[in-house]
Amino acid sequence: MINTSFFELFKIGPGPSSSHTVGPMRAAFEFRQTITNYLQNCSSDKHISLRIALYGALAATGHGHGTHRALLAGLLGYLPTNVPITALNNFFTATDESYCLLLGEQKITFVESDIYFDYGHNPYRHPNTMKFVLLQDYVPVLEQVFYSVGGGFIETDKHEAATLMITKGTPTYIYSNMADLQQLQQESGVSVDVILLANEMAISLMTEQEVFARIADILEIMEQSVVNGLQKEGILPGGLQVHRRAKSMYEKAQHLTEQGRWGDALFARLNAYALATSEENAAGQMVVTAPTNGAAGVIPATIAYLVNDCHVGRETISRGLLVAAMVGFIIKDNASISGAELGCQAEVGSAAAMAAALFSFCYGEPLDVIASAAEIAMEHHLGMTCDPIKGLVQIPCIERNATGAVKAYNAYLLASGRTTQPLISFDQVVEVMRQTGLDLSAKYKETALGGLATSFGWGNMPGS
Ligand code: SF4
């Protein structure tokens, strides 16, 4: 049964990675709460220290993604929604910097070398694992293991990190996949956005007004990321010398429009909008997981195109986002939205499927077309690897968001123009994506050990 809230999937936070930045910050915040409670009952004359170990893909590409800075932010008591971006991006700029953590009555000194990147082995069940250890007089007394499972979601072996989740109710309409939802819709005659709104109100225990007010906040950050990205130029941080290209792409789109080359201009605009948000994400600015930070550019590009160029109203967009979220929920529950688990097909592929559903809903298509568009978008991302160079969310990630947005539009066109029933259902393609991801070598799952990451002499280690 799907009981994920819209606001668990779409979360405001800093770039560049939901699994390597947002998830670790939330886990560190959670551990901070745990040890603060623990230390209240301890004698204060003991020496207190912390160690954090990162395993798997978190170790392999953590430096490039700024995981160490995100962990410190969480330990200092920041969450992704309220962390000051400039301070975050300046943490650990000098390797000998030390930070004072105030935990109740206790003060703990924390330095970068308290974080250990275990490149060699991962004894845990998930490729993105963090182990937090509290030591008293250098003896471990408390340990907590978290898994960053994609999209900023974190889990422990016992439960999802409950203190960071909103209080949940039971959904009004029960479904686990697209087939269930299609059947529900046929039997009830209720339109899909109304079904999803009822579920969101039931799960998040909010009124309709509250749900739409919070969706408006999410929309605002997405739209602002496009606006900001379209204005900026220069080189992105990280040392790859990647230039921002959104502004020049947008100027090209305007030029194409003036020339009457409408088709080219459409794609140029979608590309420019997606580049804008993805470049903001790569620069560590505020974006929205959609469903992840790496894939954060596809849905804002879709929204910018629908609002700016097609003049679709904000209420339709908000309801369309509920539909896009439903596609993300089904993928998350039945496969994964994590590049470290199933490759980029699970990140940009999922974002494109969600965006195809958004296009279809906003253009007034029924649920069977929405499902078909999502299926087509995912089908043509199958097998896509996650192999970011130097572990930075730049190459291939930024252009990949642009191609994801264009594919999403084309998937909508293919689905809405079809006159026969599709042979492959959305649920089938999600299962194929899951199996394909399991078959992918670990080299292609956010470890920067293969593909583009090791081409042309690039290595994966920090500073290489
Ligand atoms: S290659 Fe895809 S999955 Fe991997 S970090 Fe980039 S956007 Fe995310």
Side-chain angles (χ1 to χ4, degrees), residues 82-337:
N82 66 13
V83 64
I85 292 292
T86 308
L88 173 68
N89 291 329
N90 284 322
F91 286 155
F92 295 135
T93 36
T95 43
D96 57 351
E97 271 175 324
S98 65
Y99 293 83
C100 180
L101 311 179
L102 279 174
L103 306 172
E105 302 286 299
Q106 297 275 3
K107 286 182 183 170
I108 302 179
T109 301
F110 192 77
V111 295
E112 190 174 355
S113 58
D114 288 328
I115 303 171
Y116 175 62
F117 290 75
D118 192 332
Y119 299 114
H121 83 309
N122 178 6
Y124 295 96
R125 67 172 168 87
H126 194 276
N128 280 334
T129 299
M130 298 158 267
K131 183 169 79 177
F132 295 78
V133 183
L134 175 73
L135 302 100
Q136 287 182 332
D137 288 342
Y138 308 98
V139 177
V141 290
L142 188 68
E143 184 180 301
Q144 225 174 350
V145 173
F146 289 92
Y147 307 108
S148 184
V149 297
F153 288 86
I154 51 173
E155 288 178 4
T156 63
D157 279 324
K158 293 186 196 135
H159 61 93
E160 292 202 359
T163 57
L164 296 177
M165 298 292 170
I166 52 176
T167 311
K168 280 190 170 182
T170 307
T172 309
Y173 294 93
I174 306 296
Y175 70 97
S176 298
N177 53 37
M178 190 67 84
D180 290 350
L181 188 63
Q182 286 173 302
Q183 192 180 345
L184 252 176
Q185 209 236 326
Q186 274 167 12
E187 287 171 1
S188 66
V190 179
S191 69
V192 65
D193 58 310
V194 175
I195 289 176
L196 297 170
L197 176 60
N199 269 12
E200 185 55 44
M201 291 163 62
I203 293 169
S204 62
L205 308 176
M206 291 185 202
T207 64
E208 180 174 332
Q209 255 186 341
E210 287 166 338
V211 169
F212 282 121
R214 283 197 60 189
I215 292 178
D217 294 341
I218 297 282
L219 256 174
E220 188 183 332
I221 298 291
M222 285 185 175
E223 292 185 292
Q224 197 58 49
S225 69
V226 174
V227 170
N228 293 346
L230 288 179
Q231 290 170 357
K232 294 182 189 169
E233 291 176 293
I235 291 173
L236 292 167
L240 272 185
Q241 302 301 309
V242 172
H243 286 262
R244 285 180 180 259
R245 291 152 58 200
K247 186 168 185 277
S248 59
M249 178 57 71
Y250 188 66
E251 286 162 1
K252 181 173 176 70
Q254 288 175 308
H255 189 56
L256 289 165
T257 306
E258 283 158 16
Q259 292 177 316
R261 293 168 60 184
W262 313 115
D264 292 347
L266 181 167
F267 292 117
R269 277 171 204 278
L270 271 177
N271 281 324
Y273 299 142
L275 292 177
T277 298
S278 296
E279 287 167 1
E280 284 293 277
N281 177 61
Q285 300 301 303
M286 278 292 182
V287 295
V288 175
T289 57
T292 65
N293 276 34
V298 178
I299 289 185
T302 305
I303 292 167
Y305 180 73
L306 288 167
V307 171
N308 299 343
D309 304 302
C310 304
H311 309 294
V312 174
R314 280 206 162 58
E315 185 179 343
T316 304
I317 298 281
S318 299
R319 289 177 179 273
L321 276 176
L322 288 167
V323 175
M326 169 272 290
V327 169
F329 299 158
I330 292 173
I331 298 170
K332 181 181 176 296
D333 265 38
N334 293 283
S336 168
I337 53 170

Side-chain angles (χ1 to χ4, degrees), residues 22-89:
V22 175
M25 197 183 304
R26 299 176 77 219
F29 182 90
E30 179 90 353
F31 189 63
R32 176 191 162 93
Q33 309 290 95
T34 305
I35 56 176
T36 302
N37 294 339
Y38 177 89
L39 290 171
Q40 273 174 354
N41 307 315
C42 280
S43 115
S44 58
D45 58 353
K46 291 189 175 169
H47 178 269
I48 309 285
S49 56
L50 296 181
R51 298 281 184 278
I52 304 173
L54 303 177
Y55 299 95
L58 270 185
T61 57
H63 253 285
H65 289 90
T67 304
H68 50 319
R69 291 192 287 272
L71 289 168
L72 173 61
L75 291 176
L76 286 168
Y78 293 117
L79 279 169
T81 43
N82 66 13
V83 64
I85 292 292
T86 308
L88 173 68
N89 291 329

Side-chain angles (χ1 to χ4, degrees), residues 17 65 292-295 338-340 343-345 347-348 384-388 392-398 400-401 446:
S17 166
H65 289 90
T292 65
N293 276 34
S338 163
C344 196
Q345 53 172 3
E347 286 205 18
V348 172
M384 200 159 70
T385 54
C386 171
D387 49 0
L392 297 167
V393 191
Q394 296 181 10
I395 303 174
C397 319
I398 295 172
R400 192 159 282 177
N401 276 262
E446 213 167 352

Side-chain angles (χ1 to χ4, degrees), residues 339-361:
E341 273 188 75
L342 300 178
C344 196
Q345 53 172 3
E347 286 205 18
V348 172
S350 298
M354 292 163 69
L358 177 58
F359 272 126
S360 304
F361 177 83

